[in-house]
């Protein structure tokens, strides 16, 4: 089954070309949001792949008129090497001089992660109206998770809230994550996926499977998957939908 028509694969040979294509997309989304509404609201992806992208966003986005959220966070403090916030601060927020008041960090060091999730939902919605986010950046795990929506976890069933704390038994930890209503309700969604280890999940997700990330592709709005050839290597040509390869 081909992906929905609004899902577009952008496959690039080199990582440099891939992150530049993704960065150009983010810059354009920022300009459009600020032009239309005076503000750009973006949710950053965690993990390691975005480390290649975020330095390319230091320039070309009006960060003074941008509010930065995070799609998910590990249950660690902001100085922990595992922190998605710390990774973004090192690669983007610091170098770009993003005002701290423009950054909405999960309070992931809080012993009460459920309270931290409730507070994050308030921060996402106060003074705003749906769609809460202009652009969501996401990664893809080899198991098909995205943000911290992992297979078999309770967060997948959350429909009435935008942010939750969730037990992830396969990691032996808790995570904080935006839920499908928050991710799928964004104006625009972009995935950044590289590496052969992601090829099976990419093929399953593009083919409309039941992996967590597949539901984001079926959201009914635009989704762009920026990926390298390795990550796209198992996607059947006939099942790709619109594809741009260079
Ligand atoms: C996280 C991310 C997670 C990530 C994927 C891919 O907190 O780890 O939110 O969803 O995007 O696991 O991670 P890599 O980019 O490290 O492969």
């Amino acid at each position: 089954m081909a992906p929905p028509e609004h899902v577009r694969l952008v496959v690039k040979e080199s990582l440099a070309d891939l992150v530049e294509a993704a960065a150009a997309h983010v810059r354009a989304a920022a300009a459009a949001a600020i032009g239309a509404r005076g503000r750009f609201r973006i949710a950053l992806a965690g993990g390691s792949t975005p480390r290649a992208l975020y330095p390319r966003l230091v320039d070309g986005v009006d960060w003074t008129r941008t509010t930065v959220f995070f799609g998910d966070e590990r249950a660690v403090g902001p100085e922990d090497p595992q922190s998605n916030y710390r990774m973004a601060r090192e690669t983007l927020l610091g170098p770009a001089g993003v005002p701290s008041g423009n950054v909405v960090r999960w309070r992931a060091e809080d012993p009460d992660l459920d309270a931290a999730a409730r507070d994050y939902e308030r921060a996402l919605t106060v003074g705003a109206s749906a769609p809460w986010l202009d652009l969501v950046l996401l990664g893809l795990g080899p198991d098909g998770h995205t943000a911290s929506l992992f297979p078999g976890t309770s967060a997948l069933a959350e429909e009435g809230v935008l942010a939750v704390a969730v037990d992830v038994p396969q990691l032996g930890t808790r995570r904080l994550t935006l839920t499908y209503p928050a991710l799928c309700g964004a104006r625009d969604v972009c995935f950044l996926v590289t590496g052969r280890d992601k090829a099976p999940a990419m093929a399953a997700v593009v083919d409309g499977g039941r992996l967590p990330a597949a539901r984001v592709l079926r959201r009914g709005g635009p989704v762009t998957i920026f990926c390298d050839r390795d990550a796209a290597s198992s996607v059947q040509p006939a099942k790709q939908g619109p594809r741009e390869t260079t």
Side-chain angles (χ1 to χ4, degrees), residues 114 121 149 153-166 177-182 215:
D114 296 306
E121 173 153 348
L149 299 174
T153 63
S154 60
L156 302 181
E158 292 286 356
E159 295 294 346
V161 292
L162 301 173
V164 290
V166 58
T177 189
L178 295 182
T179 59
Y180 283 125
R215 178 165 162 187

Side-chain angles (χ1 to χ4, degrees), residues 44-51 71-74 82 84 137-143 145-150 175-177 192 194 197-198:
L44 297 180
S48 57
T49 304
R51 282 186 175 273
D72 73 326
E73 188 55 278
R74 291 82 181 274
Q82 285 295 312
N84 288 334
L137 297 179
L138 292 170
L140 177 69
D143 61 355
H145 80 263
T146 192
S148 283
L149 299 174
F150 286 83
R175 286 281 188 98
L176 291 161
T177 189
L192 184 67
T194 61
D197 65 317
K198 307 291 179 72

Side-chain angles (χ1 to χ4, degrees), residues 1-243:
M1 174 172 70
E5 68 286 349
H6 45 263
V7 174
R8 181 167 68 101
L9 260 65
V10 176
V11 185
K12 294 292 185 184
E13 190 71 50
S14 72
L15 181 61
D17 287 350
L18 182 62
V19 295
E20 184 46 42
H25 189 103
V26 175
R27 295 186 203 112
I34 291 167
R37 292 174 296 280
R39 197 85 193 161
F40 178 46
R41 293 163 59 92
I42 183 173
L44 297 180
S48 57
T49 304
R51 282 186 175 273
L53 168 61
Y54 291 165
R56 308 290 305 156
L57 294 176
V58 169
D59 299 317
V61 173
D62 182 351
W63 293 106
T64 67
R65 299 171 78 180
T66 296
T67 305
V68 179
F69 299 91
F70 296 83
D72 73 326
E73 188 55 278
R74 291 82 181 274
V76 296
E79 299 310 324
D80 190 293
Q82 285 295 312
S83 166
N84 288 334
Y85 163 79
R86 175 174 166 174
M87 183 272 286
R89 186 186 65 204
E90 290 172 350
T91 57
L92 172 55
L93 306 178
V98 179
S100 57
N102 289 11
V103 180
V104 184
R105 184 178 70 81
W106 294 85
R107 221 179 47 250
E109 66 278 14
D110 192 323
D112 186 347
L113 291 179
D114 296 306
R118 289 192 295 272
D119 289 348
Y120 205 80
E121 173 153 348
R122 269 193 292 275
L124 182 62
T125 56
V126 68
S129 55
W132 311 111
L133 294 164
D134 294 302
L135 176 62
V136 172
L137 297 179
L138 292 170
L140 177 69
D143 61 355
H145 80 263
T146 192
S148 283
L149 299 174
F150 286 83
T153 63
S154 60
L156 302 181
E158 292 286 356
E159 295 294 346
V161 292
L162 301 173
V164 290
V166 58
D167 293 326
V168 184
Q170 50 269 57
L171 298 181
T173 186
R174 296 196 88 195
R175 286 281 188 98
L176 291 161
T177 189
L178 295 182
T179 59
Y180 283 125
L183 301 180
C184 296
R187 283 190 168 85
D188 191 11
V189 172
C190 289
F191 284 84
L192 184 67
V193 189
T194 61
R196 192 161 294 273
D197 65 317
K198 307 291 179 72
M202 269 281 288
V205 163
V206 168
D207 192 25
R210 300 183 54 79
L211 295 177
R215 178 165 162 187
V216 179
L217 270 65
R218 295 193 295 270
R219 75 190 194 97
V223 176
T224 308
I225 305 175
F226 292 95
C227 57
D228 64 8
R229 286 188 184 282
D230 281 345
S233 57
S234 300
V235 176
Q236 302 299 320
K239 298 188 174 182
Q240 287 166 13
R243 174 172 179 161

